[in-house]
Amino acid sequence: MGTCLTVIKVVGTTSLGIYAGVIASNLSNYGIMSHVLKTATVATSEKATGLVLGKIKTTGALLASLGTIATGAFIMAYTQAPRALKHPYLIYASLVAPLTSIIYLGLTRPHLHQYCELKKMKKQRQAERPASKKHKQEVISELDNSTYKDLGDVLTTSDEETPSAQTTSTGDEDSEAEQEVELHLAQKSLLDTLYSVHLGDYINVAISTLGFVVATVGLYGDY
């Protein structure tokens, strides 16, 4: 029983140490990912966003796995240990992962929610654009086929073609302006999310490191 408890405690302590190390390594990634977002253009925005979100999701999944292992190991060690070995450090160490997860969630949730809303609005606008473009083409076609064109007046024909070209040009400019605005809003939302994660890293690296030290000292003190 004693050997089994020792193995469980070692697994929990090791997982907690790796957990703290992963958070510490994230501190150096903030500058790189923020630079990727700030330098993204309309053409490269999807790729840049995918890279940043992919990194956040991968790190989150890794931390969730390590945190689950560490928390489960410490809880198991505490519940299975004899009364004399139910030390408080096992409880403290088991709370590190849940506490840091709550901090991450509290800091990033508002910005991620805003980003999701922006993505939803963007999809709605993209769905509306074909219908709007088709409507404009129908209006232009009606003008071209109107009775004014049948008069055969060259000046009238020239005057009618010019507004059509201007309408198309204006539509393209409006579309580009909308894309620029969407890119700016998406970048700002993701940059805010990155900053929140970065702030959470600073807080959580201290908490997880302290938890790892407490677990290590407690494990050493048991034997």
Side-chain angles (χ1 to χ4, degrees):
M1 183 68 177
T3 303
C4 184
L5 282 176
T6 301
V7 171
I8 294 174
K9 291 177 182 179
V10 169
V11 169
T13 303
T14 303
S15 300
L16 192 57
I18 299 174
Y19 186 90
V22 171
I23 296 176
S25 67
N26 282 342
L27 294 174
S28 61
N29 293 331
Y30 172 74
I32 298 174
M33 290 192 291
S34 61
H35 176 73
V36 169
L37 285 177
K38 290 178 181 178
T39 57
T41 62
V42 174
T44 61
S45 61
E46 291 294 333
K47 184 177 180 180
T49 300
L51 288 173
V52 172
L53 290 178
K55 178 64 177 178
I56 293 176
K57 290 178 181 178
T58 301
T59 304
L62 179 59
L63 289 177
S65 300
L66 291 170
T68 300
I69 294 172
T71 301
F74 286 121
I75 290 176
M76 184 180 297
Y78 184 82
T79 56
Q80 298 298 322
R83 181 179 294 273
L85 296 178
K86 290 183 182 292
H87 300 301
Y89 82 87
L90 296 173
I91 298 177
Y92 301 152
S94 68
L95 294 176
V96 170
L99 178 59
T100 53
S101 298
I102 291 173
I103 291 173
Y104 276 132
L105 183 62
L107 290 174
T108 60
R109 184 174 181 179
H111 304 299
L112 286 175
H113 177 72
Q114 182 183 15
Y115 176 76
C116 291
E117 288 296 321
L118 289 173
K119 291 287 288 184
K120 184 178 179 181
M121 292 172 61
K122 181 179 178 180
K123 289 181 179 179
Q124 290 177 348
R125 282 195 291 268
Q126 288 176 343
E128 293 172 356
R129 280 173 188 167
S132 177
K133 185 176 181 181
K134 182 178 180 181
H135 176 69
K136 289 181 180 179
Q137 290 176 344
E138 290 176 352
V139 172
I140 294 172
S141 178
E142 289 176 0
L143 289 173
D144 290 340
N145 295 326
S146 65
T147 56
Y148 293 102
K149 187 176 181 180
D150 294 335
L151 295 176
D153 192 338
V154 177
L155 293 176
T156 304
T157 303
S158 176
D159 290 339
E160 288 177 357
E161 289 176 353
T162 302
S164 299
Q166 291 177 348
T167 303
T168 304
S169 177
T170 303
D172 293 339
E173 291 176 357
D174 291 342
S175 178
E176 291 178 0
E178 287 180 2
Q179 290 178 352
E180 290 290 343
V181 171
E182 290 171 355
L183 175 61
H184 174 73
L185 292 175
Q187 284 179 337
K188 184 179 183 303
S189 180
L190 277 181
L191 285 172
D192 290 341
T193 302
L194 275 180
Y195 178 76
S196 299
V197 173
H198 190 56
L199 178 61
D201 288 339
Y202 272 109
I203 298 172
N204 290 337
V205 74
I207 295 174
S208 57
T209 301
L210 179 61
F212 174 67
V213 171
V214 169
T216 303
V217 172
L219 181 62
Y220 179 79
D222 286 343
Y223 305 97

